[in-house]
Amino acid sequence: QRGDRPLAAPARPPVARLSAAHVERFGESVTVTGDRGSVTVPTEVADIADDVVWLPANSTGHGLLADVASPGSRVEVSGVR
């Protein structure tokens, strides 16, 4: 999709999917920090365990796998005020 605007145009913006309790705790946006960097994205309620955050792998820069952390890694989630 990079470099091909018509193909990339319908792509949905990245979001962090969290449990309802964590969205209530952290707010409308969160910063997720891993061993490779961090990303700040809006939150979305999902049917997911309280200690889990889901991010789309190919959503920022070179992709979250390269920019933030590998799948299953421990990350820090903080609310954006």
Side-chain angles (χ1 to χ4, degrees), residues 1-2 14 36-39 56-71:
Q1 291 181 359
R2 273 191 201 111
R36 300 176 184 163
S38 63
V39 64
N58 293 319
S59 63
T60 65
H62 297 100
L64 290 171
L65 301 179
D67 294 345
V68 179
S70 58

Side-chain angles (χ1 to χ4, degrees), residues 45-80:
V45 174
D47 184 17
I48 197 167
D50 282 338
D51 60 348
V52 173
V53 58
W54 181 90
L55 295 163
N58 293 319
S59 63
T60 65
H62 297 100
L64 290 171
L65 301 179
D67 294 345
V68 179
S70 58
S73 297
R74 289 186 180 264
V75 295
E76 181 180 321
V77 178
S78 56
V80 176

Side-chain angles (χ1 to χ4, degrees), residues 16 18 22-23 25-34 37-43 53 55 75-81:
L18 303 161
H22 275 85
V23 169
R25 175 181 172 193
F26 293 121
E28 294 179 6
S29 294
V30 292
T31 297
V32 180
T33 304
S38 63
V39 64
T40 299
V41 292
T43 57
V53 58
L55 295 163
V75 295
E76 181 180 321
V77 178
S78 56
V80 176
R81 304 286 174 208

